[in-house]
Amino acid sequence: QVQLVESGGGLAQPGGSLRLSCAAAASIFKIDAMGWYRQAPGKQRDMVARIFSAGNVYYSDSVKGRFTISRADAKNAIDLQMNNLKPEDTGIYYCNAFISHQASDYWGHGTQVTVSA
């Protein structure tokens, strides 16, 4: 019922910046939370940042002070501003949407972020 469209991935230099965007097309249900998850090569997918409909924001310790998640102008859309990028930020970033009414998680196809000199 929900499709997520991601954009903004690419190649950045260490210390550089990228901005990821995700737009969710939901049928008739409210999206209660959206976020970004990262899967580094050979590692498990884990949470990077999440924002709830009430405005609560959560970050993983590794990105606090460097990444900022925010609600975009469009409904059910989020941005992730990534500053001071490090090589360990490299991975596939997946957009997530949670609908409590359905107790369901939805995932985008992922966008590659590579940080390398």
Side-chain angles (χ1 to χ4, degrees):
Q1 296 290 87
V2 177
Q3 292 185 328
L4 304 177
V5 180
E6 302 147 316
S7 63
L11 177 65
Q13 298 279 100
S17 298
L18 287 172
R19 180 165 56 248
L20 306 182
S21 298
C22 175
S27 179
I28 61 172
F29 304 109
K30 184 184 79 173
I31 297 176
D32 297 286
M34 296 184 68
W36 290 96
Y37 288 67
R38 177 174 66 202
Q39 186 167 21
K43 296 184 178 180
Q44 190 175 13
R45 185 185 303 181
D46 55 17
M47 188 270 290
V48 174
R50 288 181 66 80
I51 183 167
F52 288 78
S53 60
N56 308 75
V57 176
Y58 299 91
Y59 298 96
S60 68
D61 289 339
S62 64
V63 307
K64 285 182 179 178
R66 300 188 298 117
F67 292 9
T68 302
I69 190 170
S70 61
R71 198 188 316 277
D73 291 336
K75 287 186 176 181
N76 297 325
I78 56 170
D79 293 328
L80 183 68
Q81 179 65 44
M82 305 185 294
N83 296 327
N84 192 23
L85 285 163
K86 303 176 180 180
E88 54 261 42
D89 294 320
T90 294
I92 303 174
Y93 285 70
Y94 296 89
C95 183
N96 166 266
F98 176 71
I99 300 177
S100 62
H101 176 76
Q102 300 179 345
S104 300
D105 277 296
Y106 296 87
W107 297 92
H109 294 295
T111 183
Q112 177 71 43
V113 170
T114 302
V115 183
S116 176

